[in-house]
Amino acid sequence: MDLSSPVVLSIVGLSLQVSLVAMLISLPLAVVMAKLLARPGLPGKALLSALVHLPLVMPPVVTGYLLLLAFGRSGWIGSALHDIGLGISFSWTGAALAAGVMAFPLIVRPIRLAFEAQDVRLAEMASLLGASRTRRFFTISLPLAMSGIAAGLVLGFAKALGEFGATITFVSNIPGETQTLSLAIYSFLQSPSGDAAALTLVAISISISVLAVLVSEWFTARQAKRLEQ
Amino acid sequence: MLSVDIAGTMGVREISVRFGADRGVTALVGPSGTGKSSVLRAIAGLWRPKRGTIKLGEKTLLDTQRWVDIAPNLRGVGAVFQQALLFPHLTVERNLLYGAKGNRDDFDTVIDMLDLGALLKRVPRNLSGGEAQRVSLGRALLSRPDVLLLDEPMTGLDEGRRMTILPYLQSMRASLTVPIVYVTHRSDEVAALATSVVRMENGQGLPATSVADYLKFDQATVSQ
């Protein structure tokens, strides 16, 4: 199977789509969560941090099963979504949700570190210059955390791209609908003649990951140069 | 007119001070660690003293008995600290306009007074310490504060650079109609800038004196 075969293109296209949508779902929440966790003296911070990190430490199958319970067709959120025609179980949107949930802690962590590393005196200064909390966040905290956000996005994207356990449990392994790179590699390895196809997908998977890390490195270096004082 | 009457604990230090500051420069002097900066932070709303009042003209910024404590961004306070604290991701021009609320009326005047014209397109990392501090002063002025707080703004500069900043501070004093509170531990800066002096010792503010009286006291202390 060559790189331009429709099957490969469909698998890669679906994986990129799932990972990008997973990032779109997770990033805004991850930024808010990172900002909260970076706040000194936040009540219940340890508990909140533990909750955020749960998908990282729990077996992925457990996360997938919990997603199925909540978002499956008879789940308490899933049934409501299904009633309004937005059912996500066994569809690529479900795969994006699973990938987003699994990637969440990896996105939050570098952004939180970026917020924590900021000089609080800059925000104080912005405040003395009349900036409200919202303006301080969007004009000072957020731009200064860009390297952390880039790092979080790359880590999360890589995790989303490689997600397996939660995805297969929650949305199964349906070619053209939920079969992302990892699931396709697994499927091809199950068939006696699938080694070549699996290897092609492995090569593509490695290439995308390396490219993502290089982009992140470039972005972080550029940001560090911009901010050095 | 700024009036401050506060008491509280900062770390292990008990701080208590009472003074008024009118147009001109009120120097808050005393050895390091005596609580001068805490007093400025209280005026700015960045530290809440245990009890007391801070009033700026008709506006009450803090009144602990009446549970009044105006947020820092609504106090109308301009501040320059030992570090310039410029926003590293913004150009000098955008730093200067950060607190200006879209008002560019005073922009040219402040640029001329602080000689910032050539720096506008630069970013903070390409400024010298003296240049950065001038930008910080300009940024505070362009926010049109009702009181200007200067916390040892020349401390991080070498002797040569201090001499280049001093004339700018003097022209600021001449043109500003709002009170300036200037924290320092150097009597030469008091002599060059101040119009009245509040001395602090071990966290306690002493009654305000004239610059001449303070300098006499300072000389007597040095010669002892």
Side-chain angles (χ1 to χ4, degrees):
Chain A
M1 192 184 289
D2 64 42
L3 288 174
S4 60
S5 88
V7 176
V8 170
L9 287 179
S10 149
I11 292 166
V12 172
L14 179 67
S15 297
L16 291 175
Q17 180 183 334
V18 164
S19 303
L20 285 173
V21 171
M23 291 304 98
L24 282 180
I25 300 169
S26 295
L27 187 65
L29 288 173
V31 170
V32 172
M33 188 55 75
K35 185 71 183 154
L36 268 179
L37 289 173
R39 187 179 289 179
L42 177 81
K45 188 164 156 175
L47 187 67
L48 195 62
S49 180
L51 274 175
V52 167
H53 285 94
L54 264 186
L56 202 61
V57 290
M58 273 194 323
V61 175
V62 173
T63 306
Y65 181 60
L66 291 175
L67 283 172
L68 195 59
L69 286 181
F71 290 93
R73 198 158 289 182
S74 51
W76 55 283
I77 302 174
S79 56
L81 285 175
H82 191 258
D83 288 347
I84 54 168
L86 292 173
I88 58 172
S89 54
F90 304 108
S91 76
W92 74 269
T93 45
L97 178 65
V101 167
M102 291 303 288
F104 193 69
L106 290 173
I107 309 174
V108 170
R109 195 164 180 80
I111 303 176
R112 173 186 177 176
L113 291 176
F115 281 135
E116 283 174 344
Q118 282 175 15
D119 188 342
V120 290
R121 295 174 306 171
L122 291 176
E124 284 181 355
M125 180 52 84
S127 160
L128 295 182
L129 290 165
S132 64
R133 187 184 284 260
T134 312
R135 183 169 176 228
R136 291 198 297 273
F137 177 72
F138 283 108
T139 59
I140 307 295
S141 302
L142 199 60
L144 291 177
M146 272 305 163
S147 59
I149 291 173
L153 268 179
V154 169
L155 273 174
F157 185 78
K159 174 71 183 167
L161 205 61
E163 218 301 300
F164 184 86
T167 309
I168 203 167
T169 312
F170 179 37
V171 291
S172 188
N173 183 1
I174 308 165
E177 186 63 45
T178 65
Q179 192 178 66
T180 55
L181 268 168
S182 307
L183 300 187
I185 292 170
Y186 173 75
S187 296
F188 282 124
L189 288 177
Q190 303 303 302
S191 108
S193 58
D195 280 4
L199 263 179
T200 307
L201 294 181
V202 165
I204 291 171
S205 179
I206 292 173
S207 307
I208 295 174
S209 306
V210 170
L211 191 68
V213 173
L214 287 178
V215 168
S216 155
E217 288 290 319
W218 173 80
F219 194 82
T220 308
R222 182 172 160 268
Q223 186 74 1
K225 197 176 163 202
R226 237 176 107 202
L227 298 184
E228 83 192 22
Q229 248 185 322
Chain B
M1 172 78 180
L2 170 77
S3 69
V4 177
D5 181 3
I6 51 170
T9 311
M10 184 68 158
V12 290
R13 166 94 52 222
E14 291 286 334
I15 292 169
S16 164
V17 67
R18 181 178 184 176
F19 67 92
D22 226 327
R23 183 184 171 165
V25 175
T26 302
L28 201 54
V29 299
S32 297
T34 195
K36 306 185 296 290
S37 296
S38 302
V39 174
L40 285 203
R41 289 181 68 79
I43 299 170
L46 301 173
W47 171 58
R48 193 175 189 278
K50 202 168 163 192
R51 60 173 184 78
T53 56
I54 300 172
K55 287 184 178 160
L56 186 55
E58 298 297 304
K59 195 157 87 174
T60 301
L61 303 184
L62 176 83
D63 186 340
T64 49
Q65 277 195 327
R66 287 170 43 215
W67 301 94
V68 177
D69 185 7
I70 305 283
N73 60 318
L74 302 174
R75 286 195 175 204
V77 167
V80 177
F81 297 104
Q82 287 177 25
Q83 281 88 26
L85 298 178
L86 300 180
F87 305 129
H89 57 302
L90 303 179
T91 60
V92 165
E93 184 171 12
R94 291 186 62 200
N95 263 283
L96 285 167
L97 290 169
Y98 189 87
K101 300 168 196 86
N103 187 338
R104 286 188 78 117
D105 293 354
D106 308 333
F107 191 70
D108 293 336
T109 316
V110 170
I111 297 299
D112 286 344
M113 181 169 73
L114 295 170
D115 201 10
L116 298 171
L119 308 177
L120 293 179
K121 299 296 169 209
R122 308 237 301 253
V123 284
R125 72 167 186 274
N126 294 333
L127 300 178
S128 70
E131 288 169 340
Q133 210 53 302
R134 267 158 47 208
V135 176
S136 191
L137 279 168
R139 183 175 61 176
L141 291 179
L142 285 168
S143 71
R144 294 185 160 193
D146 297 325
V147 59
L148 186 62
L149 310 176
L150 305 177
D151 189 357
E152 306 203 41
M154 297 201 280
T155 292
L157 307 176
D158 59 42
E159 224 34 61
R161 292 231 167 84
R162 295 170 87 92
M163 289 304 116
T164 64
I165 293 277
L166 202 56
Y168 293 114
L169 290 174
Q170 283 169 325
S171 76
M172 251 171 59
R173 179 187 63 175
S175 58
L176 276 189
T177 53
V178 300
I180 302 174
V181 183
Y182 188 98
V183 161
T184 183
H185 58 269
R186 289 181 58 131
S187 48
D188 57 344
E189 289 176 10
V190 174
L193 290 168
T195 39
S196 73
V197 182
V198 174
R199 200 154 58 81
M200 286 188 73
E201 262 179 21
N202 298 321
Q204 307 302 304
L206 303 173
T209 58
S210 70
V211 176
D213 283 349
Y214 169 72
L215 292 174
K216 261 188 258 167
F217 161 83
D218 189 57
Q219 274 199 329
T221 320
V222 172
S223 58
Q224 267 174 15

